């Protein structure tokens, strides 16, 4: 360690670190704009100039390495005067539009101008004007005259998102940030540039001019979309969600969130919201009160149970639902004598699992991998924040290998991509054969140790931190168990971890609370195919959320009663009853992310109109059906019954990616797995207007890979 003196205090710093790092460690604030702890050092704003003894002039704290015995003064007259001079330069061309700027109230430049800016300017020349740019539906670059050229947005794109979509052109007073080719900014992490911008040059287009920051209440929540479990700050005005930004959690999402976490809130305020219970009578929808709707459903289910038996009733539940909702649905179904409940809506294979499928390692450890084999995933679009972590690992020398039906652009160096249009089992068997040949053991299946397979095997057999990761397509594959069996064998021979990236916010939680058949009930495919007389659809739309797609509607149309519980006007063509339930912002609940971390959250706004939390609706429905043991007073009571108290993660003895299924090579063609594109993942993102205007969404609608 190196010891320096900082404002009269002794501070120990890591050799090679900068004065800024030492100051952060000591709790001393040095004003800055371009420096950010997650980005490379640019040293181009010069706001962090400090006095270093024996140096002829002030030095930038972010770019000056510490040396033994260095004496640094951050608040001396020399340092303050240098910082004030830099602020004067920064304000020369800055437009005086703070009163109408969206960044007003949370602007670094505004804050530091108070302490380091003058009361007047010596410059009376005309301020420069920078033309605005149109870069897509998410980011507004209307006021680029505000830009101070800190280049945080450039560095974020290049270093974190993996795509340098913005660049700086020209020099001197003609410098400007632009897309160079006039393209749009299409990264799935692009919204983080808005947070990084220290002035109001980059702002949120959906949020633009809709509220002032000091009018907003800030409440913590958890993302309901992919399995990262990103921590959020939901900003609210007049019981309406106005904006969503990241809540920093280094172990999960660091200080980033994906665009679907940030902008999907638009759907919560859309005209698509279902605000009252509705019953279809004579082919026409009529609004009714809650008592009428629930009694109608309860009487219908009782009648169907009497006529066809309890096994004719089933529930298709979304893995984006809360743990409490999934558990209560299971209690309701099993309370009336049915085991027909399933969250595996897109699966093609329905084996009895030995444990709860999960990531197999911690999310944070993905940043430290030395080798990763990713099977059946468009990693960058399916799991943007997982991809970001693996991208950081590649910067440290990690090798990444992919096995997919085609080559995807992951915005990171991929050492080799194995393209297996149909037979993924054979392709993975080839890798196993290469491992077996290298270790001199018997391969689990006949395979050819081709060049690509040998490269993967060689990489997996060196180093300590390595993982075999199965994506959404592998989980939904018709030979999912066979792929897992091979992955387990490869991991066992090479010392790698094996796990599923897992699709949804509560994929792990749904397994944990047994939201799938336990005693021989119908699985999702059987229910969708027409195996039910009464179907309960919790928070999903079979036409978009199941492997059968539009064909699911034909199977469900065979039912005598279909009940949809949704925040939106969904499934109207097949449903008999629509019950408006609260989305994640209007209910308390719990999600369990891919690593098995239990994260509970509270409602951030009150339920819209007649909307009710789904756990309350299910509890009342269970009471009407005579189910015992469901008299819960709060969602916390449901959670305690489901998983116990004081549980912050799924018990280790429950988490398991083991499988007893022997892999087989059939030589038969297997259908392409059903995988949701990035902005079709759930009912909320499908209704977020700005997300549906992005290039990814357009490509998905045109039949491409999102």
């Amino acid at each position: 360690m190196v010891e320096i003196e900082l404002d009269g205090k002794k501070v120990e710093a890591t050799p090679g670190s900068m004065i800024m790092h030492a100051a952060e460690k000591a709790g001393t604030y040095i004003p800055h704009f371009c420096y950010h702890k997650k980005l490379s050092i640019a040293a181009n704003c010069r706001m962090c100039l400090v006095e270093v003894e024996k140096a002829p002039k002030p030095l930038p704290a972010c770019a000056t390495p510490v040396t033994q015995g260095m004496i640094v003064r951050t608040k001396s007259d020399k340092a303050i005067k240098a910082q004030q001079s830099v602020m004067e330069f920064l304000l020369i061309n800055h437009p005086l539009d703070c009163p109408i700027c969206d960044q007003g109230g949370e602007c670094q430049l505004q804050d530091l101008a108070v302490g380091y800016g003058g009361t007047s300017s010596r410059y009376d020349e005309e301020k420069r004007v920078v033309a605005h740019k149109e870069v897509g539906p998410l980011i507004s670059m209307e006021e680029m005259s505000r830009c101070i050229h800190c280049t945080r947005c450039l560095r974020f794109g290049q270093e974190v998102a993996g795509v340098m979509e913005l660049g700086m052109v020209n020099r001197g007073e003609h410098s400007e940030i632009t897309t160079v080719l006039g393209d749009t900014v299409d990264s799935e992490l692009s919204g983080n540039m808005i947070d990084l911008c220290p002035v109001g040059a980059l702002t949120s287009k959906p949020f633009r001019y809709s509220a002032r920051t000091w009018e907003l209440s800030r409440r913590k929540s958890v993302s309901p979309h992919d399995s990262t479990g990103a921590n959020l700050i939901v900003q609210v005005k007049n019981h309406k969600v106005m904006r969503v930004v990241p809540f920093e959690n280094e172990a999960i999402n660091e200080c980033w969130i994906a665009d679907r976490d940030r902008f999907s809130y638009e759907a919560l305020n859309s005209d698509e919201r279902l605000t009252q219970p509705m019953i279809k009578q004579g082919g026409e929808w009529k609004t009714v009160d809650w008592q009428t709707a629930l009694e109608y459903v309860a009487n219908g289910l009782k009648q169907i149970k009497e006529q066809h038996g309890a096994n004719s009733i089933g529930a298709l539940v979304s893995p984006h639902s809360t743990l409490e909702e999934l558990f209560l649905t299971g209690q309701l179904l099993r309370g009336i004598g049915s085991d027909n409940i399933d969250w595996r809506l897109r699966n093609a294979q329905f084996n009895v699992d030995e444990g709860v499928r999960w990531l197999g390692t911690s999310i944070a450890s993905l940043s430290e991998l030395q080798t990763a084999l990713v099977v059946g995933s468009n990693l960058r679009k399916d799991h943007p924040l997982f991809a970001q972590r693996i991208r950081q690992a590649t910067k440290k020398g990690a090798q990444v290998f992919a096995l997919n039906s085609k080559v995807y652009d992951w915005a990171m160096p991929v050492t080799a991509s194995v393209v297996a249009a149909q037979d993924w089992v054979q392709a993975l068997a080839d890798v196993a054969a290469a491992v077996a040949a290298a270790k001199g053991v018997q391969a689990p299946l006949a395979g050819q140790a081709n060049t690509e397979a040998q490269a993967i095997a060689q990489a997996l057999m060196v180093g300590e931190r390595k993982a075999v990761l199965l994506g959404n397509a592998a989980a939904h594959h018709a030979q999912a168990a066979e792929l897992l069996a091979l992955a387990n064998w490869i991991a066992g021979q090479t010392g790698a971890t094996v796990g599923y990236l897992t699709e949804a916010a509560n994929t792990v939680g749904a397994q944990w609370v047994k939201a799938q058949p336990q005693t021989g009930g119908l699985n999702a495919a059987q229910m969708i195919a027409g195996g039910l007389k009464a179907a309960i659809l919790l928070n999903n739309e079979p036409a978009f959320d199941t492997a059968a797609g539009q064909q699911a509607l034909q199977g469900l149309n065979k039912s005598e009663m279909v009940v949809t519980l949704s925040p939106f006007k969904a499934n109207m063509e097949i449903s008999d009853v629509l019950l408006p339930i609260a989305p994640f912002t209007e209910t308390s609940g719990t999600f369990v992310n891919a690593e098995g971390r239990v994260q509970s959250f509270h409602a951030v706004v009150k339920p819209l109109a007649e909307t009710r939390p789904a756990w309350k609706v299910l509890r009342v429905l269970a009471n009407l059906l005579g189910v015992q043991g469901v008299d819960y007073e709060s969602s916390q009571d449901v959670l305690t019954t489901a998983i116990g108290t004081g549980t912050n993660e799924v018990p280790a003895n429950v988490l398991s990616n083991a499988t007893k299924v022997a892999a087989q090579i059939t030589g038969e063609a297997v259908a392409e797995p059903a995988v949701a594109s990035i902005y079709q993942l759930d009912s909320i993102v499908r209704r977020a207007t700005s997300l549906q205007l992005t290039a990814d969404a357009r490509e998905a609608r045109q039949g491409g890979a999102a």
Side-chain angles (χ1 to χ4, degrees):
M1 299 293 283
V2 173
E3 186 177 81
I4 69 169
E5 183 181 305
L6 184 72
D7 293 338
K9 298 178 182 178
K10 299 293 184 182
V11 179
E12 285 192 342
T14 306
S17 64
M18 305 297 161
I19 294 174
M20 183 72 81
H21 300 139
E24 285 181 338
K25 185 177 180 180
T28 299
Y29 177 73
I30 298 176
H32 60 273
F33 292 112
C34 68
Y35 171 78
H36 190 277
K37 62 183 178 180
K38 293 290 183 181
L39 303 176
S40 63
I41 292 170
N44 53 10
C45 78
R46 317 309 280 183
M47 191 64 209
C48 65
L49 292 175
V50 294
E51 181 184 358
V52 178
E53 194 167 278
K54 297 183 181 179
K57 58 183 179 180
L59 299 176
C62 70
T64 304
V66 294
T67 58
Q68 182 64 36
M70 174 185 276
I71 299 175
V72 181
R73 301 183 183 92
T74 68
K75 297 177 176 63
S76 66
D77 289 342
K78 188 175 183 180
I80 296 295
K81 188 174 181 180
Q83 292 162 356
Q84 288 174 337
S85 297
V86 170
M87 178 58 71
E88 185 177 16
F89 278 117
L90 289 174
L91 293 177
I92 289 173
N93 284 307
H94 197 77
L96 300 177
D97 57 357
C98 294
I100 60 108
C101 177
D102 265 350
Q103 196 87 346
E106 53 187 10
C107 173
Q108 275 184 263
L109 183 65
Q110 197 176 49
D111 293 343
L112 293 178
V114 172
Y116 300 90
T119 56
S120 60
S121 174
R122 324 180 229 178
Y123 295 88
D124 53 18
E125 291 82 6
E126 288 187 9
K127 291 180 180 285
R128 76 173 196 150
V129 176
V130 180
H132 72 266
K133 286 88 178 172
E134 178 55 52
V135 294
L138 305 180
I139 298 176
S140 172
M141 294 179 73
E142 292 284 322
E143 289 91 8
M144 289 306 292
S145 298
R146 299 171 183 162
C147 179
I148 61 169
H149 302 153
C150 71
T151 68
R152 281 184 178 183
C153 55
L154 274 66
R155 285 176 284 147
F156 171 82
Q158 187 174 23
E159 299 166 15
V160 180
V163 184
M164 190 174 175
E165 296 175 294
L166 295 177
M168 184 182 287
V169 297
N170 305 324
R171 302 190 67 177
E173 69 172 337
H174 302 294
S175 298
E176 59 180 290
I177 305 294
T178 178
T179 56
V180 181
L181 298 176
D183 297 327
T184 54
V185 174
D186 298 321
S187 167
E188 62 285 347
L189 297 172
S190 66
N192 292 293
M193 295 179 185
I194 299 167
D195 297 334
L196 287 172
C197 185
V199 295
L202 302 182
T203 54
S204 167
K205 191 171 281 189
F207 175 72
R208 187 174 163 81
Y209 295 149
S210 59
R212 307 301 311 203
T213 180
W214 52 85
E215 298 174 316
L216 302 173
S217 300
R218 290 160 174 78
R219 293 154 191 176
K220 289 163 61 172
S221 192
V222 179
S223 169
H225 305 305
D226 64 34
S227 58
T228 308
N231 289 198
L232 311 176
I233 294 290
V234 181
Q235 300 184 348
V236 175
K237 178 185 176 183
N238 296 334
H239 299 290
K240 183 179 179 182
V241 176
M242 304 299 292
R243 185 166 62 169
V244 175
V245 296
F247 179 79
E248 186 169 350
N249 187 328
E250 200 64 26
I252 301 175
N253 55 293
E254 300 174 88
C255 55
W256 318 120
I257 54 174
D259 285 352
R260 65 182 165 204
D261 301 328
R262 183 184 300 271
F263 297 108
S264 65
Y265 73 88
E266 282 188 294
L268 307 176
N269 307 320
S270 71
D271 294 336
E272 285 286 300
R273 283 296 301 272
L274 179 65
T275 57
Q276 286 183 288
M278 301 179 76
I279 294 176
K280 187 186 289 183
Q281 293 180 336
E284 292 186 4
W285 284 102
K286 296 183 179 180
T287 58
V288 296
D289 58 55
W290 269 104
Q291 184 174 352
T292 301
L294 290 171
E295 287 179 352
Y296 181 89
V297 173
N299 291 334
L301 293 178
K302 287 176 183 176
Q303 187 175 347
I304 290 170
K305 179 181 176 181
E306 290 172 4
Q307 294 177 354
H308 305 285
N311 288 330
S312 65
I313 302 172
L316 296 168
V317 295
S318 169
H320 299 277
S321 301
T322 67
L323 201 71
E324 294 82 353
E325 293 163 3
L326 294 167
F327 176 72
L328 259 174
T329 307
Q331 276 198 309
L332 187 154
L333 265 293
R334 292 175 180 123
I336 62 175
S338 173
D339 190 40
N340 303 332
I341 178 174
D342 209 345
W343 62 270
R344 300 167 295 179
L345 306 182
R346 293 192 177 97
N347 281 29
Q349 191 183 62
F350 300 91
N351 286 358
V352 177
D353 298 334
E354 291 78 13
V356 172
R357 305 292 192 232
W358 68 301
L359 185 61
T361 184
S362 68
I363 291 173
S365 70
L366 297 178
S367 303
E368 303 299 326
L369 287 176
Q370 294 171 312
T371 308
L373 170 58
V374 182
V375 180
S377 175
N378 184 1
L379 183 64
R380 177 182 166 193
K381 303 300 183 181
D382 292 347
H383 301 92
L385 293 175
F386 290 172
Q388 184 275 132
R389 284 194 178 269
I390 295 175
R391 189 175 296 119
Q392 302 316 308
T394 64
K395 291 179 179 293
K396 303 169 190 172
Q399 295 188 74
V400 177
F401 300 88
L403 193 166
N404 276 307
S405 57
K406 60 181 176 181
V407 176
Y408 294 106
D409 176 13
W410 288 353
M412 71 177 80
V414 177
T415 306
S417 288
V418 178
V419 179
Q422 296 291 341
D423 205 338
W424 291 7
V425 171
Q426 178 65 71
L428 205 54
D430 291 345
V431 177
V435 171
K439 297 202 71 173
V441 297
Q442 179 67 38
L445 281 176
Q448 296 181 344
N450 54 48
T451 305
E452 291 168 331
Q454 288 177 346
I456 295 170
Q458 191 63 40
L460 284 171
M461 286 190 292
V462 298
E464 297 177 355
R465 302 182 301 276
K466 43 208 174 182
V468 180
L469 301 170
L470 302 169
N472 297 350
H476 303 159
H477 200 274
Q479 295 174 304
E482 289 80 358
L483 291 172
L484 177 58
L486 281 167
N488 275 325
W489 189 90
I490 293 168
Q493 292 293 324
T494 60
T497 62
V498 60
Y500 283 99
L501 295 167
T502 71
E503 180 185 42
N506 230 354
T507 296
V508 174
Q511 300 171 76
W512 192 17
V513 296
K514 297 179 171 52
Q516 60 197 60
Q518 300 296 305
T519 57
L522 299 179
N523 61 46
Q526 292 168 328
M527 288 190 269
I528 290 166
L532 300 177
K533 293 297 182 182
I536 298 171
L537 306 178
L538 175 63
N539 209 17
N540 66 85
E541 298 170 270
F544 305 104
D545 293 326
T546 68
Q550 292 292 329
Q551 292 182 352
L553 304 183
Q554 299 173 16
L556 290 169
N557 261 328
K558 298 175 184 177
S559 302
E560 295 179 13
M561 172 181 274
V562 176
V563 181
T564 291
L565 289 80
S566 173
F568 304 103
K569 297 171 184 173
N571 306 324
M572 297 187 78
E573 62 270 47
I574 58 171
S575 297
D576 299 289
V577 185
L578 298 179
L579 301 178
I581 61 170
F584 77 106
T585 51
E586 299 170 19
T587 183
S588 54
T590 304
F591 291 135
V592 183
N593 70 2
E595 67 178 3
R597 187 184 296 253
V598 178
Q599 299 189 102
S600 295
F601 54 91
H602 297 288
V604 299
V605 293
K606 64 182 181 182
L608 180 66
E610 293 297 309
T611 299
R612 296 289 181 269
W615 72 266
K616 290 187 177 182
V617 177
L618 291 163
R619 180 199 64 193
V620 175
L621 195 54
N623 288 336
L624 290 173
L625 289 168
V627 177
Q628 301 299 311
V630 293
D631 295 322
Y632 303 108
E633 293 296 324
S634 67
S635 63
Q636 183 61 46
D637 291 344
V638 184
L639 182 64
T640 301
T641 304
I643 68 171
T645 56
T647 305
N648 295 320
E649 56 187 29
V650 182
N653 63 331
V654 175
L655 295 168
S656 173
N657 291 314
T659 180
K660 297 174 184 174
V661 175
Q664 295 180 350
I665 298 179
T666 62
E668 298 175 2
V670 177
E672 187 78 12
V675 180
S677 62
I678 183 169
Y679 298 133
Q680 291 292 317
L681 184 64
D682 58 70
S683 59
I684 297 179
V685 294
R686 283 195 290 270
R687 290 171 172 82
T689 306
S690 296
L691 292 178
Q692 295 308 316
L693 294 174
T694 60
D696 280 328
R698 290 198 307 272
E699 189 176 353
R701 286 194 296 272
Q702 293 164 3

